[in-house]
Amino acid sequence: MSWRIVVVSSNAKVDYKLDYLVVRTLDEVKRVHLSEIGVLILESTAISITSYLLCELIRRKIKVIFCDHQRNPCAELVPTHGSHDSSAKIRQQLKWTQGIRQQIWTEIVRQKLRRQRSHLRRRGLPQAEQLTTYLEQLQWNDETNREGHAAKVYFNALFGTEFTRTADLPVNAALNYGYSLILSAINREISAAGYLNQLGLSHENTFNPFNLGCDFMEPLRPLIDSAIIDLQPEKFERTEKLAIVNILNCEVRHAGKQQHLLYAIRLYCNSLFRALQSGESAEIKWIDYE
């Protein structure tokens, strides 16, 4: 399987030759075989890339993330169709009933709260027991918004009561960067499986092209939170970004087996699709990263 995360961060020309991604700078030429690449991050606006290479990257289902002038992710390459049977998958997706979508969303929220509670317990924070209360209070489709209440308790426990997610701080920049990488990896699997990312379970923002990916990624957010706390960024520059990118290579457990996170995300998304098709939440195989 593809496993390498390639980051191009300086003035360069990126093109295709004989199944290789070729990066040409003034000083050197580097080559990476496309079969090894899972994600390509173009971190500089001074990079030029050929359309032929872009077509090959799409064909091989390699996720491409573009960054803006501040080197933050701003867009990603999404194929118009990611599977030979996309039309059949989309027809199936349109038949997912409201009841099934709400059932799976309830389980996603439940797993997110469990992972947040585990994170707080691992750090010896007493607020973990408040999340136990929210788990016990969780209702169908999270009608009482236990997820939102838990988020306030969770982030205040980790970063202090004065912390807000909207503040212009290195820790928020790092969190946003990490979340965007996880979302991009999940978006790739949704497109590759042939489903429409715009049609979410709970996320229904008209202007969000990745509603389904935003749903699927929720239980993985504490993985990023934990990594950022361990990183303790006092600034957010290239070194911090590379450390966060490397999270995609970390080892996790899925269905009792050790897997790299990128591959585990693929298996996790496939299990969600099976659950949505069958209406059985027991089909979901969660990613364990504690």
Side-chain angles (χ1 to χ4, degrees):
M1 60 160 289
S2 53
W3 55 274
R4 297 183 72 170
I5 301 147
V6 177
V7 181
V8 184
S9 57
S10 59
N11 190 335
K13 179 180 179 182
V14 185
D15 58 22
Y16 171 88
K17 186 174 182 180
L18 299 175
D19 285 344
Y20 281 85
L21 178 145
V22 183
V23 181
R24 308 175 193 275
T25 66
L26 292 176
D27 302 320
E28 59 184 344
V29 176
K30 292 185 177 181
R31 295 175 175 83
V32 183
H33 200 274
L34 293 181
S35 64
E36 299 178 1
I37 304 174
V39 179
L40 171 65
I41 301 176
L42 302 173
E43 204 180 42
S44 170
T45 55
I47 297 167
S48 63
I49 185 168
T50 64
S51 58
Y52 193 98
L53 173 61
L54 290 174
C55 290
E56 283 295 315
L57 294 170
I58 290 173
R59 186 174 70 83
R60 296 165 186 260
K61 299 180 174 60
I62 297 170
K63 173 57 64 178
V64 182
I65 300 173
F66 300 92
C67 296
D68 59 21
H69 62 286
Q70 295 180 320
R71 298 180 180 269
N72 293 320
C74 64
E76 58 186 71
L77 194 61
V78 180
T80 55
H81 59 278
S83 174
H84 68 282
D85 59 349
S86 291
S87 58
K89 294 289 184 62
I90 292 170
R91 282 194 292 269
Q92 292 172 0
Q93 184 176 4
L94 292 173
K95 292 179 181 178
W96 295 345
T97 66
Q98 183 181 41
I100 290 173
R101 288 186 283 109
Q102 290 181 348
Q103 176 189 359
I104 301 305
W105 174 245
T106 304
E107 294 309 312
I108 286 174
V109 173
R110 193 187 314 279
Q111 182 65 10
K112 180 181 181 181
L113 296 182
R114 286 171 177 160
R115 295 265 64 90
Q116 288 178 328
R117 181 180 63 180
S118 294
H119 185 199
L120 295 183
R121 282 177 173 172
R122 183 162 55 85
R123 297 189 182 276
L125 296 170
Q127 292 88 340
E129 299 320 305
Q130 181 63 51
L131 268 65
T132 297
T133 301
Y134 290 143
L135 271 165
E136 294 170 349
Q137 295 171 346
L138 182 64
Q139 297 180 13
W140 180 265
N141 200 38
D142 191 22
E143 292 180 350
T144 57
N145 192 28
R146 296 301 91 183
E147 180 193 17
H149 290 289
K152 180 176 177 58
V153 172
Y154 174 75
F155 280 106
N156 284 348
L158 291 175
F159 300 108
T161 56
E162 301 301 317
F163 176 80
T164 64
R165 282 286 289 121
T166 57
D168 185 13
L169 299 169
V171 66
N172 272 327
L175 288 169
N176 292 337
Y177 191 83
Y179 295 155
S180 68
L181 293 180
I182 295 293
L183 177 60
S184 291
I186 288 176
N187 290 342
R188 177 181 72 165
E189 301 308 328
I190 293 171
S191 296
Y195 294 96
L196 284 177
N197 213 333
Q198 293 90 337
L199 303 180
L201 306 179
S202 177
H203 289 81
E204 297 179 337
N205 189 328
T206 302
F207 306 104
N208 181 5
F210 308 123
N211 283 313
L212 190 57
C214 289
D215 290 326
F216 283 11
M217 75 171 288
E218 291 298 338
L220 292 173
R221 287 181 180 271
L223 172 63
I224 298 298
D225 304 335
S226 178
I228 299 310
I229 290 178
D230 291 340
L231 185 62
Q232 295 185 334
E234 296 182 359
K235 55 184 175 51
F236 188 60
E237 297 176 356
R238 177 170 168 75
T239 300
E240 290 74 24
K241 289 179 181 179
L242 289 178
I244 296 171
V245 167
N246 199 45
I247 295 171
L248 296 176
N249 282 327
C250 74
E251 285 198 352
V252 296
R253 292 189 66 81
H254 182 270
K257 296 181 180 179
Q258 291 289 120
Q259 307 283 4
H260 284 97
L261 179 60
L262 273 179
Y263 188 59
I265 285 174
R266 177 176 304 176
L267 300 175
Y268 162 65
C269 289
N270 287 339
S271 76
L272 280 165
F273 295 135
R274 291 195 301 272
L276 286 160
Q277 287 300 116
S278 67
E280 297 291 338
S281 57
E283 290 279 1
I284 307 174
K285 306 301 180 186
W286 304 106
I287 297 175
D288 184 3
Y289 45 84
E290 290 296 332

